[in-house]
Amino acid sequence: MGEDKPEDKLDKPAQGLMARLGRWLERDHTPTASEVAPLFTARLTDVAANRLAKQWSTRYDAADGKERRTLLAVLAQASGKLEPRGDQGQRLFKRLYAQAESLRLLVDLRADMLRWRNQVSGLSVMERELEGLLSSWFDVGMLELRPINWDSPASLLEKLIQYEAVHEIRSWEELKHRVADDRRCYAFFHPRMSDVPLIFVEVAFAAQMAGNVQLLLDPHVPSDSPEKARWAIFYSISNTQPGLRGISFGNFLLKRVIDALLAELPRLKSFATLSPIPGFADWLSKQDGKALQDLLHDKADKQAAVDDPDAGSKWVQRLQAAAAAGQGGDGALQRTGLRLAVHYLRSMKGGQPLDPVARFHLGNGARIERVNWAADCSAKGMAQSCGIMTNYLYELDQLDDNLAQLAEGKPKMGLNLRWR
């Protein structure tokens, strides 16, 4: 007698259900929760269930947003009926992961779950389970650090343009400048998504700490020689996959990049960022006159802000206008703006810095070294931070001490915090 096929090990009703589901997935029929339940409950080695999972993933990959949401809602209904839940909740994801081409789909799947988890009942439970699996599948030990330069494949260079999240790349000329011989760009890749950078960092070199991003981005401004430079400036760090939100490997990226830079350019002495302050203008606009009293030193400014519920919004407009005009007033306006920015950067909520970029760098052990006036006068920079940027300094032998201080609610500041 021949051995039973895996499909034969299902009872007849289950076989019929799987067959119908397979036909319906190939057409436009949307299966019900009971019809997709075997995708969770069947064994991971079940050939029929794995075939259906592949059909489901093919349909999901080709679907528009409306259909994807419907398909996810059905999965959430089936997931909510699992009893006991145990590891059955993760079984569909493990089934998809076993298919070599499905890792990218799972990342997209979680991005959609994050998008709709508050609108689709039961989806948040699935999202958390998928996050746990992705955390193990994207363990930093599995990731490969690779440099990207002008000789990299065009398809990869195009992804830099597509995924750049900090400073828009508007032309191939600008892209060529960012990956030129006097610059460096590094990215983490997963072996099963080898054509997609998961996160990348752009690096410039300088004789001193940089304070204006427009000068760094301008392809017509001569760059410092990497072989002679003492400073490496990380001026853009971009995560490319929304579906990997909360899965941290950015801190490992910077440490690996510093090691790679030191191995190549041993004359480098210092490592700093030139970073945006994306939440500053929004935070300031919400402050009333009472909240600003202790932050304003000029008596006239204090008096003007008293009992003014819109004092913060007016300060945003003043700072934006002064930066756009290339001015700092008589110096007092500039100093006040930078003082407000430092106060914001030091502000904490729930044990974490308010600003998302500060949260990332301070959480990596860096310290706030300097704030810079009119450092990013692009439309985005003005809207987010009135043109102000900050430098976070990475001193490798101080990272742990800085983290300990952050845990006490006191972000580490430069001993002589300067602003320009």
Side-chain angles (χ1 to χ4, degrees):
M1 295 180 62
E3 294 185 1
D4 291 340
K5 296 180 180 178
E7 295 94 325
D8 296 335
K9 295 181 181 179
L10 291 171
D11 57 30
K12 290 186 177 180
Q15 291 182 42
L17 179 63
M18 299 294 253
R20 292 197 304 275
L21 179 58
R23 291 193 296 271
W24 287 331
L25 282 173
E26 291 171 355
R27 300 199 298 269
D28 292 331
H29 171 78
T30 300
T32 65
S34 60
E35 291 167 349
V36 300
L39 298 177
F40 293 95
T41 58
R43 300 181 312 276
L44 287 175
T45 55
D46 190 286
V47 174
N50 293 340
R51 183 183 302 123
L52 289 172
K54 184 172 181 61
Q55 291 174 324
W56 185 92
S57 65
T58 299
R59 177 171 177 178
Y60 191 88
D61 193 43
D64 59 17
K66 181 178 180 180
E67 185 180 4
R68 283 189 169 197
R69 179 169 172 163
T70 300
L71 291 171
L72 278 179
V74 173
L75 282 184
Q77 292 174 24
S79 171
K81 296 178 181 178
L82 297 174
E83 186 62 39
R85 188 171 189 85
D87 67 348
Q88 290 187 100
Q90 299 180 339
R91 199 169 293 176
L92 169 63
F93 306 133
K94 292 179 178 178
R95 198 184 304 281
L96 291 174
Y97 180 71
Q99 302 173 32
E101 69 275 16
S102 289
L103 182 58
R104 190 195 311 263
L105 175 74
L106 286 165
V107 174
D108 292 342
L109 196 62
R110 181 165 180 258
D112 290 340
M113 289 178 173
L114 288 169
R115 177 183 175 188
W116 294 315
R117 62 181 174 181
N118 294 328
Q119 289 80 43
V120 178
S121 178
L123 200 56
S124 60
V125 175
M126 294 180 64
E127 183 272 315
R128 288 193 296 270
E129 290 175 327
L130 180 53
E131 180 186 12
L133 290 172
L134 289 174
S135 293
S136 62
W137 294 335
F138 283 88
D139 181 89
V140 68
M142 300 179 63
L143 304 181
E144 177 188 1
L145 181 70
R146 284 162 39 190
I148 300 175
N149 54 46
W150 190 242
D151 293 326
S152 297
S155 59
L156 178 56
L157 294 174
E158 288 176 345
K159 287 183 172 64
L160 294 189
I161 298 176
Q162 176 186 352
Y163 291 126
E164 169 61 56
V166 184
H167 303 294
E168 180 185 7
I169 301 174
R170 296 167 295 183
S171 67
W172 282 94
E173 180 186 15
E174 289 188 5
L175 175 62
K176 186 174 183 179
H177 178 57
R178 298 203 197 184
V179 296
D181 291 341
D182 54 10
R183 297 288 174 101
R184 296 293 183 272
C185 179
Y186 293 90
F188 265 153
F189 293 83
H190 191 282
R192 286 176 55 178
M193 290 176 61
S194 59
D195 60 335
V196 179
L198 305 177
I199 182 174
F200 60 90
V201 58
E202 298 166 54
V203 188
F205 300 98
Q208 57 189 358
M209 190 162 54
N212 187 299
V213 78
Q214 262 78 50
L215 295 179
L216 286 182
L217 296 178
D218 190 343
H220 303 295
V221 174
S223 298
D224 291 296
S225 167
E227 289 75 18
K228 297 180 181 179
R230 294 303 180 94
W231 285 81
I233 308 297
F234 308 123
Y235 62 92
S236 181
I237 302 173
S238 297
N239 287 285
T240 72
Q241 304 300 307
L244 296 178
R245 184 196 308 170
I247 300 172
S248 178
F249 34 68
N251 54 340
F252 295 101
L253 172 70
L254 288 183
K255 292 170 185 174
R256 292 272 300 275
V257 167
I258 289 174
D259 287 342
L261 290 173
L262 286 172
E264 179 191 1
L265 304 167
R267 292 188 62 176
L268 288 173
K269 299 299 181 183
S270 301
F271 302 87
T273 75
L274 181 57
S275 297
I277 314 175
F280 173 61
D282 181 64
W283 168 83
L284 181 56
S285 69
K286 295 175 181 177
Q287 307 305 305
D288 59 20
K290 182 178 180 180
L292 293 179
Q293 285 300 299
D294 292 339
L295 302 175
L296 303 176
H297 285 200
D298 184 84
K299 290 183 179 180
D301 289 335
K302 283 177 175 286
Q303 186 61 37
V306 169
D307 299 325
D308 184 355
D310 299 319
S313 294
K314 292 175 181 177
W315 267 100
V316 168
Q317 294 170 11
R318 288 183 67 184
L319 296 175
Q320 288 173 336
Q327 300 172 354
D330 59 0
L333 178 65
Q334 177 177 331
R335 289 194 299 272
T336 299
L338 295 174
R339 188 181 301 114
L340 289 168
V342 170
H343 176 81
Y344 167 70
L345 289 170
R346 297 181 67 179
S347 298
M348 306 276 285
K349 183 178 180 179
Q352 296 292 327
L354 276 180
D355 187 77
V357 175
R359 196 178 310 138
F360 175 80
H361 290 296
L362 297 178
N364 288 343
R367 75 177 188 227
I368 303 169
E369 188 68 10
R370 190 174 74 189
V371 285
N372 305 281
W373 174 258
D376 181 6
C377 291
S378 67
K380 182 178 180 181
M382 296 294 279
Q384 288 187 338
S385 63
C386 307
I388 300 171
M389 301 187 77
T390 187
N391 300 109
Y392 297 98
L393 183 67
Y394 280 81
E395 288 188 320
L396 299 184
D397 59 351
Q398 296 294 317
L399 300 182
D400 290 340
D401 290 343
N402 294 348
L403 284 172
Q405 186 167 324
L406 180 66
E408 296 174 357
K410 301 175 182 178
K412 184 65 179 292
M413 314 290 288
L415 295 178
N416 299 295
L417 180 63
R418 296 171 293 149
W419 44 64
R420 299 198 330 184

